[in-house]
Amino acid sequence: MLKEGKNIWEKLKDSNLYKSIFRHSYEDTTKNRALQVRSNIFLHLHPVSVPEHAFKIRFTWCMGGITFFLFLVEAFTGVFLMFYYHPVPEFAYHDMKYLEFDVPFGIILRNIHRWAAHLMVFTIILHMLRVFLAGSYKPPREFNWVVGVVLIVLTFLLSFTGYLLPWDQLSYWAITVAANMMGAAPFIGHEGPFSVVNKYNDIRFVVLGGTEIGANAILRFYVMHIIVLPAAAIIFMAVHFWRIRKDGGISGPL
Amino acid sequence: MKKQKTYVWPDLVFKEFLMIIVLTIILIIWGLIMNAPLREIAAPGRSENPSKAPWYFAGLQELLVYFDPWIAGVMIPVIIAAGLIIIPYADTNPQGKGGYTFSLRRFAVVNFLFGFLLWWALIFIGYFLRGPNWQLYLPWESWETVKETGNHLRSLSPAVGLVCISFYFGLGILLPPLMSIDLYLLYGSLRYIVVMTLILLMYAVPLKILLRLAFNIRYVLVTPWFNI
Ligand code: HEM
């Protein structure tokens, strides 16, 4: 029942519809501060309250959070790039040109995707440095450090697979250098020491989908870059964040 | 003493939001003023010289000067990743958790920082100081000037090489406990040997670089199967 003397906004807030969406009021009370975090799927990554030192930029350098944000930027801009990119040698390079000269804001899209990726590599390295220097990997957080190492490896692999996609001279020859290194791997590379494989079944062949960098390589790199590695990164990040909470929240002296 | 706690909403969320806005602005401006590199279309027959990796791989690429590809491109990254993974299990020193107190964990901090800075130094050299044929060019030198490849490199004979390597690792592992530096006690024997081996491997990288630059030594150990 609507009561007399209420303006439309108050009426709205009294409605079933509103209450079904927003579960609590926004008055600044302790209870609401807690509910705000508890009842929001995105915010509930956080605990309701954290020790004061964890707020300090001087403790975390914000690097974990920034790395996460940059990952989201990559996912967001990446989806838009996918609308314009064909993972085949005949198109890939021209799609870059198309983005640069024809697609509205295309060049900015590509630039942001590239620079955020570089920044992410940089911030993840700084995050690792801060975790090390603060001794935050010590018990009970040993395993979260391991999860972190997996994440940094995944980040490097994402960069590596993304690098081939523009199909220009830079990417082609950088991947050539890297692929030849794989061919030189011990045991599983055909040119490596103690090789047990040949040119047609070694690790280089598996990664490139052939003996040369061509259509198969670009497709493999693309699939890894847009689905396999991001999915793995998301899973490990979920574990990473979950473990921060389960290991007793962010580390601190005692 | 009870720990001071603060509510995440709105204090922390506010800071995060601010950070998101600042970063978004930075990325947009960066994207407006600097274009991502794009050279000519890939041409399998015509190689780039130099063909440089992005900066974060330039350190590994720089190592190719001093090590065979299977070491520079495979063994070293694998050992680094494995070494990083075991850090929390190797470093049993309970002190200095959750704060920047270096005096309590000198050994760990010094060695980690050494590796960390070595990594950046290699990136710097590989990315900024290498030109055509991966020769050393200072930033103000023109890449047009042709540099001669000084290759009067030689390798140690297998026997000498083996002795050198055994001495390096043998002494490196045995000396600290013999000199009763209490690292050994701190780590327990198996843990100690693993940690020391990894650390010695790390220092072997700049050592090999020095051997090459100062004495023109190409390989320390030559075998029929592989060279180091
Ligand atoms: C995609 C990559 C990563 C993301 C998004 C991420 C995110 C975060 C965030 C948001 C935190 C909370 C505190 C802070 O910001 O410092 C954190 C903590 C932590 N991270 Fe990461 N991280 C990543 C990679 C890594 C790496 C590479 C390592 C180490 C090798 C690592 C080890 C840890 C540890 C041990 C903690 C707990 C620290 C504490 O309790 O003080 N993380 N991470």
Side-chain angles (χ1 to χ4, degrees), chain B residues 55-77:
Chain B
W55 62 267
Y56 37 83
F57 288 129
L60 290 177
Q61 209 180 355
E62 173 65 16
L63 283 175
L64 276 175
V65 177
Y66 307 99
F67 296 93
D68 283 356
W70 69 278
I71 301 183
V74 184
M75 296 312 287
I76 290 180

Side-chain angles (χ1 to χ4, degrees), chain B residues 151-191:
Chain B
N151 45 12
H152 6 271
L153 296 176
R154 60 212 163 80
S155 299
L156 299 181
S157 76
V160 177
L162 213 57
V163 170
C164 283
I165 291 183
S166 324
F167 254 89
Y168 175 71
F169 283 97
L171 284 186
I173 288 178
L174 291 179
L175 266 189
L178 286 181
M179 289 163 58
S180 68
I181 298 172
D182 64 356
L183 295 176
Y184 178 73
L185 296 176
L186 198 61
Y187 288 104
S189 54
L190 175 65
R191 195 174 264 129

Side-chain angles (χ1 to χ4, degrees), chain A residues 46 59 93 137 139 145 168, chain B residues 16 39 84 91 93 97 100:
Chain A
H46 300 102
F59 183 68
Y93 181 77
Y137 57 84
W145 169 274
D168 68 340
Chain B
E16 291 171 345
R39 304 265 174 91
L84 284 175
D91 176 10
N93 175 3
K97 174 160 69 185
Y100 300 95

